[in-house]
Structures are given as structure tokens and as C-alpha cells.
Amino acid sequence: MKRRNFLKACLIGGTTIALGKTNKGWASGSFEGYPEAMGVLVDTTRCIGCRSCEAACNKEQKLPEPDTSFDDPSVFEHERRPTSKAYTVVNRYQKEQPSGPVYRKVQCNHCNEPACLTSCFVNAYTKTKEGAVIYNSKVCVGCRNCMIACPFNAPGYDYDSATNPIVKKCILCYDTRLKYGKPPACVEICPQEALTFGHRADLIKLAHERIRATPERYVDHVYGEKEVGGTSWLYLAPVGFDKLGFDTTLSNDPIISNVKDFLGMVPMVLSIWPALFSGIHLLAKHEEQGGHGHDTDSNQEDTKP
Amino acid sequence: MSSYKHFIVAALSIGAISVSSPAALQCAPVPDSITLNQNGKLFSPFTFNHAQHIQSIKECADCHHHTTGTLVLDPNCARCHQNSSPTAVVSCKGCHSATPFSPENLAAKRADKQRYHLDKMGLKGAMHQSCIGCHNKMGNGPTGCQDCHPRTKEGAAFYSTNRKGAKPAHAEEE
Amino acid sequence: MKKMIQHGLAIVDSPYDEDGKKRTLVNKLLLGLTPSQYLLQAFRNPFNWILAAIFAIGIPILIGRFFFGLAWATSGSNDYPWGLFLGFGLFAMVPLSSSGFQLGTACEIFGRHDLEPIERLALLNGLLGYFFAVMYLLADLGQPWRLPYPMVVSFGPAAVLFLVAWHVATYLSVQVAEVSSAFFEWIGFPAGKRAIRRITLGLTVSGIILSTLHQGALGALFTYAPGKVHPLWYSSSFQWLHFFVSSLPGGLCMVITVSTIAAKTMAWRGDSRFHEKLDKVTVSLAKGACMGIATYITIKLIAIAHDNKWAYLDTGWGQWFMFEIIVGFMLPLTLMTYGVHTRKMNVVRLGAFMTVFGVVLNRVNTAMITFNWKLPHREIPPWREVIISLTIFATYIVVYRFILYRLPILFKWRRQEQEETVPEAVPAPALGRREASSVPVASYSSMTKLD
């Protein structure tokens, strides 16, 4: 009887855990991104801060009207970030420098191994083969873990909506353009061709070629080539990236690699704990039967006769 | 020798403009004015005073690379184009595609493994960079959007110009 | 309540009243009082007035949050997506609720039956802590009605949060099962209790596994944001260990705290066993907590050494970090060690309170205060967010008190003694017919014990 109960107990415990068991191919090794993935190279030396990309994004994605017009330069007074109402913003840096201001467009960088995707517990994010990181608002629960996880602070949340708040971010115009091989709206409108659209692999070569051809124009780094495992959006800059609001402390490993320490220990706990603690229980019980006895008045109804 | 040739060609082109007899030249006729942004939706088409630019710059290669047959200034371009003759097509749009990132253009670029000019600008980018870049460098000439091409009604809507001063610029974000 | 007991009110601690009659459910719910008496004692309690005031303001705002959206109720910040609801509600409530699995393990696995007087309180503390952490979560989620989605609609199994969701949900049901034996006693359904008793070991072991994993997983959630959490609160290798290990003293000290409050404010409810053993049990818990804190401080320092972050200690953040470590962990460790050695219970309890504070501060620091430390501005939660958090916490207290007042948590359900004496007073057949619960003692004594 006792043994049967014990086995039963273990079985129930085991089932409970099996339900919670979640480890499926976590360690994806080093994913270099889809070979056919597209991307955009942002040459900050070319950008003149006209904010046409913001306007184009606003119209293409049918976002609400902006607080102030898209040719209002006063927005540059503060550093801005993408929100649910503006998937891309242009910030101004180095205003005081004699070489003139440097403008930087900010949006979702479409990582090869997106942190948002790996942190999402309903798998709302997809990295498409075209390189876009898209989002399924139909399953989003609204935990906003993706916003915590995103190293570039790209996703914005629709806090204003009470009934259907969703995460909103740049999707590389996937639905309307990228899917058909067309460049995103911001690239198409850019008058200076500060944004170059193409295959990510080609863009990396192109970026290095620009640095090689005009080394006085650029710092020798392509931001996004390696950062957090590589991103579809790549940047060239005339000055150190840290001076343009880029996070230069990011590791070259994707964000998920930080989490692997924990994920790696999950199967260990799942397999060792039941055996360990059931074993300890048996040991403790044996000792008890060996004469220690237990607090007789403490065990509710089932006191020993 | 090269500076001599340079001088001759420059003198010839100025002469060509001043006498307005392009036929006198070997190359394609040089227009005095060009209508740019012909199919512009957000910004209206406008007239570019080519003659005025020739007069003030006097250097075709500043804009036209080696295509006019003048002396190649960029040492990198000179490696190949030192002795290039004038090309059949001189206009910007003849070489710079209006749709540089169309699927067809990207595919063509990928297919052509030997292509050297991989980073060739699109038409819009080439024009804007050329104009604004030079105007900035020279310290004169228009650099604002509407200084060259006035915005259309559609353009005004596109840039949400009616929202001007609605609120202090995105102050809430902070 | 105290006064009423002085006036001869018999407290409900068995299925029968002092006349030997079986108590009805209503009677049990009203603590053996008449409805008017019950209301009277409720009104007399000043604490109820405070609660009423909180609810009067808080409940409309809580409802408003669901009608006007998160932007109305919270800071709705893109840079600080997790505010008070999660920073305090989820991340602080869960570690304080680790008591359930710890005492379960001690009693059921290690055979520490001397801790049994507090086992049920610890289990209940765990259950309610988790339950209200989920309540906070529901208030915070953009679309709370989709909470079951990770279980049924769309799976993101590579996400730590997926593991948390599954484990908290599973563990919540494990805890409901564990606590339900007290409920079955109270309601009078011994078959249910027996069934639970049989699977206790399984429940307990799964409790350990689930707890280890999700307590750690809550920490691991922050390893998704390596650049955003301040380095002193972040460690890629140690984050989950920090959260798991600090949850151990957190849970134990929460039980000390709650039992202290309960022993003071509802002394009538605890039976003599509870009151007599409380000090001894508290000492045992404090010893356990001390071990936990000592380990925690050690691995915290190891983590700093591991990534060589000593330089950060010399900054403003470093001072804040030192404050948390010293006031929240080192000082309580000293106090409790001293208190345990000298048997100064007040010192031990003070140490426990401070540990609870330390664990809460640590979670709030990680999730909110030091989060995004590189950004120039800090987010201060707007008043509605504070009120809602307070309201949910007040509900937690009310539910906690409601259960402690009624279910045999702090006292033993006097069943056997009654059954031995009662048959003379009440005709047994009548009982038998009334409810299956009255199956004679035999069924209990023949019941197989697991431990």
C-alpha cells in the first residue's frame, strides 16, 4: 500500500512537471541569419534630417497624425524613441561640432536572432526569411516582455487602448512591400539615399567598401553587422557610435545567449530533483522508523494508533 | 598637358553655352535649362538652370563624372576613366536609376558578379547629394526642400504640415 | 473578537458547537456568531475602516483601469514597460511565497514534523502570494483575458516567461491541492482530504521542482535585458541563483512575519499548540533563513567578483546597492543570528521583517528602480498605479485574514476528540445520514499515512 502510494505520488509529480516541461531546441548555435534576408544600410553621413522617412512611415503604416508636422525641426531638441504612434524617429547629435550635426534614424533593427522573439511566451514574433521581424497581434497577451528584452528599445505599446492594446514597431513594411521584394517606404522616400536597401550580405560588403573607399568619412565599424548576433539594419557613422546614441556596450552574442545559463539548468532540475528529493524522503523515513518517531500530536488526523 | 586639355574643354563648353550652339560640340547638346522632378507628386516639378551652373562651376566633371569627356578629377575614377571618351548618355537619369531598389534592379545587380559599380546611387539620391552637397560646400545655393521644389497639396498632407505647433515637439515622450 | 470570546463565545474549531450540534456552513462562515454580532465585531475593528477607505477609492480606479486602459492608470511608459504591478506585485510577491514549498519539503520530505504547527500557514502563505501575484499580473497585462493563451492558443516554448507561466499555473494548482486538505477538514469532506494526503509526496516534490525553476526563472527574465539592469543587480550566470536563493529566506521570513502578526492580532484563533510552539518554530525558520541569507550574500559578492564590478560600488548606484545589501540582508542576518543564540524573539522577528523588506527592495530595484539605469530619467509611478497596487494588496490581506479566521491553519480541527465524546451527545445515525463527512473515526485511523 505504502509503496503503491509512493509510486502514485511520484507519477503525479512527474506528470505535473511534464506539463511544465518546455525545453525544445533552445541552443540554436550561431545563427547567421537567413541567406536571402534583406536589410537596410543607414549612412548617417548622408542623412540631412529631413524626416521624410518618418512621414512615409506614418502614411504607409496608417499611424495617427503626429503631434507636430514632419518638417518641424524643434523635435530634435529632445532625443526621441520609437513608439506605438511612430515606428521610426530621427534624432540629431553632434549639433555643437564644427562638422555639423549628425542625424540618426531609429527603428526596429530586425535582429537575426531577435530578443523580442525569444522572450515572447506566445510566440507572437516571426523572423521572416526576407529578414523582417513581424508580430502577430492576435495572440499578444500584453506582458511587454519584448519591450524589456529589446536591446534597441524599439517596440512601443498601445497603452491608450483599453480593449485591444498591442505592441507596435517597424515591420520593414513586410505586409505591403517587403513581401513583394519592394523596399520599405522610408527607403523609397529618402532623398539622400542615406538608406540603402538590399540583401543584408551585400550591404555588409557595400558598407565595408564605402569605409575602404573613403576612410576619412567613416569610423571603421558597421554597427549591426555583429551586434547582438547581427541585425538587418546596418549603420555607418562619421564619429564614434557612442556619440550618436548607439549602445556600444552590446555583446556580439544574441540576447538569448545570456539566458542560456538558466535554460541549460532546467533539464537538470527536472531530472535530478525528483530522484534526489524522493530519495531523501525515503532516507528520512527510514531513520524515522528506526526509532525517532515524530511529533505525535502534530500530525492532524492520522495520528498513529 | 592635362591642365591644358582641361582648359580647352572648359573654354569650349562655356563657349558652347554662350553662343547657344550645341551642335558645334562633338558631344550631346547641352541644355540651358532642365525640368527636374517631372513626375513629382509631393513636390512640384521645377526648372534647373543648367546654364547658370555651368557658368559658376565651369567644371562638368563635378557633376557629370567622366561622361562629358572632360578631365577626370577623382583619382579613384581616373584609374579606369583617365582617357574615357564622352559617353552617349550624359543626363543623370540615363545612368542613375529612378528605382534603384526595385526587385528587378536588385536581382540584376546580384546576377552580375563582375559588376564594379555596385554602390551606384539611385537618381533621387544622386541628385540630392550632388546639389545639397555642393550647395553646402560652396556656402551658397538652396538646401531646404522647398527652396528648390515647392510642396504640392498632396505633399503638405503627407508631411502633416497642418499640425505645425500643435504641441511642443514630442515633449511628452520625455 | 477578543471581547466576544471573553463574553463566552466559543470559537469554531470543530464541526460541532459547544452543545454538540453540528455547525452549519453559515455558522462556520460567521465564525459562530450571529449575523448582527458578526457585523458588530467587523465594525468595531479600526483596521476594517482603513481597508474600507482603501477599497472605496481603489476599486473604482481598478475598474477604471479596464475601461480607460493602462495609459490612464499607469505611467504607460515604453522605456519602463514593467511598473509597480509587476515590479512589486509579481516580482516581490512570488519570492515571499516560497514558504509553501520550503515547509512542505521540510515536513514531508525531510520529516521535520516539529515544524508542522506552521506548515499550513506556510502553504497558505504560498498559495495566496502566488494567487495575488497573478492578480497583479492580470491588472498589468494589456489583454488579461488572453492569459491562457500560452497554455492553449500559441506556444513560445523558448521563452523564460513561457516556463514561468506554466510553472506558476501548475504550482498554483499544486498549492490549491496542498491547502485544500485544511478546507476539506473545515467543510467536512474527509474523502477529499484522504485523496490529497495520498499524493502529498508527489505534490511536494513537484512543488520543489516548480519552485526552483520559476523562482529562478523570474530572475532569468532579466537576463534578456543585460544592458538595462544595473550591473550590480545583474549577472548573466548568477541571476537565476540570486532570485532563487533570496526567495528562500524571503519566504521563511514572510512566514515569521505573518505568524507574528497573526499571533498578535488574532491570538484567539491560534490554538495552544500554535502559541506554545511558535517561538520554537520561529527559531527553526530563522536558522533556515540565516543560512539562506548567508548563501545569498556570498553568491552576490561572488557575482560581483566574477564580472569584476567592484568599481560600480563607488557610485551612487553602489551606495544604493550597499543600502539594500546591508539593511535588507546583512543586518537581518546579524540580528537573527544574535536573536537565535540569545533566544530574543523580538530581535529574531525584527530581523525577519527586515529580510522581507530586503527581498522586496531587491526585486523592486531590479525591475524598476535600477532598470534602464543608462537612461537619463527615472519613472515615478503615478498615483493611480500606486492606489491600484495598494488595493490589490489590501484584498490580499482581507482574503488572508478571512481564511485564517476560518480554516484550520493556525489551529487543529478538533475532530477526533469530538468524535470520541460526541456520539453520546448526538445520535450517530443522524450524523451518518446527514453527511458523508461524518464517517466514523475508523476511516481516519485506517487511513494510510505517507510520511
Side-chain angles (χ1 to χ4, degrees):
Chain A
M1 183 63 177
K2 275 180 182 173
R3 170 153 300 172
R4 209 181 72 199
N5 282 338
F6 172 73
L7 291 174
K8 217 189 281 174
C10 289
L11 196 67
I12 288 167
T15 328
T16 329
I17 291 138
L19 282 173
K21 195 175 163 181
T22 56
N23 38 345
K24 168 197 116 176
W26 268 313
S28 54
S30 53
F31 177 63
E32 298 278 311
Y34 292 106
E36 290 303 299
M38 308 303 285
V40 179
L41 172 66
V42 184
D43 192 331
T44 57
T45 64
R46 292 182 180 179
C47 181
I48 50 168
C50 70
R51 298 179 65 213
S52 296
C53 49
E54 289 186 39
C57 178
N58 179 279
K59 300 299 176 292
E60 178 79 14
Q61 298 296 332
K62 301 186 174 58
L63 298 175
E65 283 279 285
D67 290 337
T68 164
S69 76
F70 285 109
D71 53 5
D72 178 1
S74 69
V75 295
F76 292 128
E77 300 303 321
H78 303 98
E79 196 174 16
R80 296 174 298 154
R81 61 158 283 164
T83 66
S84 61
K85 297 185 186 77
Y87 298 170
T88 185
V89 291
V90 178
N91 284 323
R92 181 177 65 193
Y93 300 91
Q94 302 274 300
K95 192 192 166 197
E96 315 303 331
Q97 296 301 312
S99 52
V102 179
Y103 297 93
R104 172 201 170 196
K105 179 183 182 296
V106 192
Q107 73 296 307
C108 168
N109 280 339
H110 299 271
C111 305
N112 288 344
E113 281 191 77
C116 53
L117 186 152
T118 47
S119 74
C120 181
F121 73 156
V122 286
N123 213 7
Y125 288 93
T126 309
K127 174 83 176 171
T128 71
K129 66 176 187 340
E130 296 89 347
V133 178
I134 56 169
Y135 158 85
N136 176 6
S137 63
K138 297 243 161 43
V139 297
C140 175
V141 180
C143 70
R144 311 192 288 286
N145 201 13
C146 47
M147 300 167 68
I148 293 280
C150 176
F152 305 109
N153 292 320
Y157 199 67
D158 234 353
Y159 288 101
D160 292 329
S161 166
T163 49
N164 190 28
I166 54 175
V167 168
K168 288 187 169 171
K169 68 165 199 75
C170 162
I171 53 167
L172 257 178
C173 293
Y174 181 77
D175 298 338
T176 48
R177 292 163 167 271
L178 188 68
K179 207 157 59 174
Y180 310 107
K182 294 200 288 181
C186 53
V187 172
E188 203 168 85
I189 199 154
C190 181
Q192 285 280 93
E193 210 172 303
L195 310 176
T196 307
F197 175 74
H199 291 90
R200 182 177 183 270
D202 297 346
L203 292 178
I204 290 172
K205 287 182 205 150
L206 206 67
H208 285 291
E209 181 54 30
R210 279 188 203 170
I211 296 172
R212 194 195 65 79
T214 44
E216 70 287 351
R217 196 178 165 103
Y218 303 103
V219 291
D220 190 8
H221 183 73
V222 179
Y223 192 93
E225 181 185 2
K226 299 213 172 81
E227 276 77 7
V228 294
T231 58
S232 274
W233 279 68
L234 306 157
Y235 287 86
L236 284 172
V239 292
F241 283 92
D242 54 326
K243 297 192 181 75
L244 303 181
F246 287 88
D247 188 346
T248 49
T249 62
L250 293 177
S251 147
N252 285 349
D253 296 320
I255 293 291
I256 187 72
S257 64
N258 288 287
V259 190
K260 279 176 182 162
D261 278 341
F262 171 72
L263 295 177
M265 117 16 231
V266 171
M268 191 187 81
V269 168
L270 284 178
S271 45
I272 297 178
W273 262 220
L276 184 67
F277 284 96
S278 308
I280 291 176
H281 169 71
L282 289 178
L283 288 174
K285 206 164 119 86
H286 183 72
E287 192 184 303
E288 192 180 288
Q289 281 166 347
H292 279 70
H294 68 79
D295 193 2
T296 36
D297 68 355
S298 65
N299 206 348
Q300 282 86 9
E301 268 87 341
D302 24 35
T303 34
K304 285 173 182 168
Chain B
M1 170 65 196
S2 63
S3 64
Y4 181 64
K5 181 184 169 192
H6 176 191
F7 173 73
I8 298 277
V9 175
L12 272 176
S13 39
I14 294 165
I17 298 297
S18 55
V19 297
S20 269
S21 61
L25 282 169
Q26 273 196 327
C27 50
V30 178
D32 285 342
S33 68
I34 305 160
T35 305
L36 295 178
N37 198 30
Q38 275 168 342
N39 303 318
K41 287 201 181 84
L42 305 175
F43 296 92
S44 3
F46 66 100
T47 309
F48 168 71
N49 191 338
H50 195 202
Q52 188 201 332
H53 282 84
I54 294 172
Q55 259 168 1
S56 52
I57 305 172
K58 303 184 177 66
E59 184 55 79
C60 298
D62 270 358
C63 299
H64 290 286
H65 317 295
H66 55 85
T67 54
T68 50
T70 59
L71 185 72
V72 180
L73 297 176
D74 188 321
N76 194 43
C77 304
R79 291 172 209 269
C80 303
H81 297 292
Q82 179 75 61
N83 298 309
S84 292
S85 38
T87 51
V89 181
V90 181
S91 69
C92 305
K93 68 179 173 191
C95 207
H96 293 277
S97 162
T99 55
F101 307 122
S102 68
E104 300 75 34
N105 278 338
L106 286 180
K109 207 155 98 174
R110 274 219 134 183
D112 185 359
K113 301 274 184 222
Q114 301 299 314
R115 184 186 290 206
Y116 175 76
H117 290 293
L118 280 172
D119 200 7
K120 192 172 71 184
M121 292 242 173
L123 180 61
K124 186 165 57 176
M127 305 268 275
H128 281 93
Q129 281 208 34
S130 194
C131 299
I132 299 172
C134 193
H135 292 173
N136 275 332
K137 200 163 72 188
M138 297 300 191
N140 60 16
T143 53
C145 308
Q146 304 211 65
D147 296 345
C148 287
H149 38 45
R151 204 152 33 201
T152 61
K153 219 172 185 179
E154 209 179 324
F158 189 84
Y159 283 88
S160 305
T161 40
N162 59 331
R163 305 287 293 175
K164 202 157 228 160
K167 260 185 199 172
H170 294 249
E172 298 179 315
E173 301 296 327
E174 295 302 305
Chain C
M1 213 49 207
K2 229 185 278 169
K3 271 192 195 131
M4 292 188 175
I5 292 163
Q6 275 164 12
H7 286 97
L9 170 81
I11 49 172
V12 182
D13 60 356
S14 79
Y16 309 98
D17 60 18
E18 63 266 49
D19 302 328
K21 282 207 194 98
K22 198 161 163 55
R23 288 183 190 272
T24 62
L25 184 61
V26 176
N27 185 273
K28 283 191 258 188
L29 277 176
L30 293 180
L31 306 169
L33 303 167
T34 64
S36 56
Q37 277 177 318
Y38 184 81
L39 285 177
L40 186 68
Q41 65 87 25
F43 280 125
R44 223 186 262 154
N45 188 344
F47 186 61
N48 285 345
W49 289 100
I50 299 173
L51 290 174
I54 295 175
F55 288 135
I57 304 166
I59 289 179
I61 295 177
L62 182 59
I63 294 169
R65 171 255 170 274
F66 291 98
F67 281 95
F68 305 122
L70 278 167
W72 179 80
T74 70
S75 57
S77 160
N78 287 320
D79 287 328
Y80 296 86
W82 289 346
L84 262 186
F85 298 163
L86 294 188
F88 169 75
L90 183 78
F91 287 103
M93 292 290 266
V94 169
L96 297 184
S97 311
S98 71
S99 58
F101 97 87
Q102 292 185 75
L103 269 288
T105 311
C107 294
E108 308 298 337
I109 309 283
F110 296 143
R112 283 290 301 271
H113 299 286
D114 56 316
L115 295 176
E116 273 170 17
I118 206 115
E119 186 189 357
R120 281 189 172 180
L121 178 65
L123 291 174
L124 178 71
N125 181 60
L127 171 62
L128 291 180
Y130 276 93
F131 184 77
F132 279 90
V134 174
M135 292 298 114
Y136 274 110
L137 179 66
L138 286 175
D140 187 73
L141 287 178
Q143 311 210 23
W145 48 91
R146 287 183 179 173
L147 187 61
Y149 272 31
M151 278 85 185
V152 286
V153 177
S154 180
F155 307 108
V160 170
L161 199 62
F162 184 76
L163 184 138
V164 175
W166 270 93
H167 284 199
V168 169
T170 321
Y171 188 47
L172 208 50
S173 18
V174 167
Q175 288 191 310
V176 167
E178 286 178 330
V179 172
S180 64
S181 61
F183 176 74
F184 288 141
E185 277 179 19
W186 180 76
I187 199 96
F189 182 58
K193 200 196 151 190
R194 277 201 303 279
I196 295 297
R197 200 76 204 135
R198 285 211 188 92
I199 58 167
T200 301
L201 180 65
L203 290 176
T204 311
V205 172
S206 52
I208 306 172
I209 296 162
L210 295 168
S211 295
T212 316
L213 288 178
H214 70 244
Q215 292 285 3
L218 285 181
L221 279 180
F222 289 99
T223 56
Y224 280 112
K228 297 187 189 175
V229 183
H230 189 277
L232 287 173
W233 281 269
Y234 175 83
S235 164
S236 165
S237 333
F238 287 93
Q239 194 77 4
W240 71 270
L241 281 169
H242 286 161
F243 268 57
F244 174 63
V245 173
S246 61
S247 80
L248 301 177
L252 294 178
C253 290
M254 185 66 178
V255 174
I256 299 181
T257 306
V258 173
S259 65
T260 306
I261 295 171
K264 292 261 151 53
T265 62
M266 45 181 99
W268 59 273
R269 187 64 281 186
D271 57 8
S272 57
R273 181 184 76 145
F274 174 74
H275 286 294
E276 282 161 18
K277 297 269 173 71
L278 184 61
D279 283 357
K280 210 174 137 245
V281 170
T282 303
V283 166
S284 303
L285 295 181
K287 278 184 191 162
C290 284
M291 293 309 292
I293 297 176
T295 316
Y296 174 68
I297 294 173
T298 313
I299 57 171
K300 199 82 183 169
L301 294 179
I302 290 177
I304 293 176
H306 186 267
D307 298 337
N308 199 12
K309 291 173 185 159
W310 300 107
Y312 287 107
L313 288 179
D314 196 26
T315 62
W317 292 114
Q319 287 165 16
W320 182 235
F321 176 79
M322 291 311 286
F323 172 78
E324 178 195 306
I325 278 280
I326 291 174
V327 176
F329 296 97
M330 285 181 178
L331 206 55
L333 174 64
T334 322
L335 285 177
M336 282 198 281
T337 317
Y338 172 73
V340 164
H341 276 287
T342 56
R343 287 290 185 277
K344 284 188 176 140
M345 296 316 294
N346 285 338
V347 178
V348 173
R349 294 196 165 110
L350 176 66
F353 292 161
M354 288 170 72
T355 309
V356 169
F357 168 76
V359 172
V360 172
L361 183 63
N362 173 262
R363 298 307 194 266
V364 174
N365 268 342
T366 312
M368 296 173 67
I369 297 177
T370 76
F371 194 76
N372 272 336
W373 62 291
K374 287 180 198 157
L375 291 188
H377 62 286
R378 314 239 58 77
E379 199 72 54
I380 294 159
W383 65 275
R384 289 199 187 98
E385 192 173 334
V386 177
I387 299 260
I388 293 176
S389 305
L390 204 62
T391 307
I392 301 179
F393 199 77
T395 319
Y396 166 71
I397 294 174
V398 167
V399 173
Y400 213 138
R401 191 180 63 173
F402 180 88
I403 295 178
L404 284 185
Y405 270 7
R406 287 163 183 81
L407 296 192
I409 304 286
L410 301 175
F411 63 99
K412 274 171 73 180
W413 199 240
R414 288 193 298 118
R415 168 117 207 150
Q416 242 158 346
E417 298 91 293
Q418 285 290 336
E419 300 234 355
E420 279 153 18
T421 52
V422 159
E424 286 104 68
V426 180
L431 267 178
R433 255 181 275 123
R434 281 256 288 281
E435 237 180 295
S437 68
S438 315
V439 215
V441 209
S443 67
Y444 282 104
S445 40
S446 69
M447 209 179 92
T448 321
K449 270 195 320 96
L450 255 173
D451 40 354

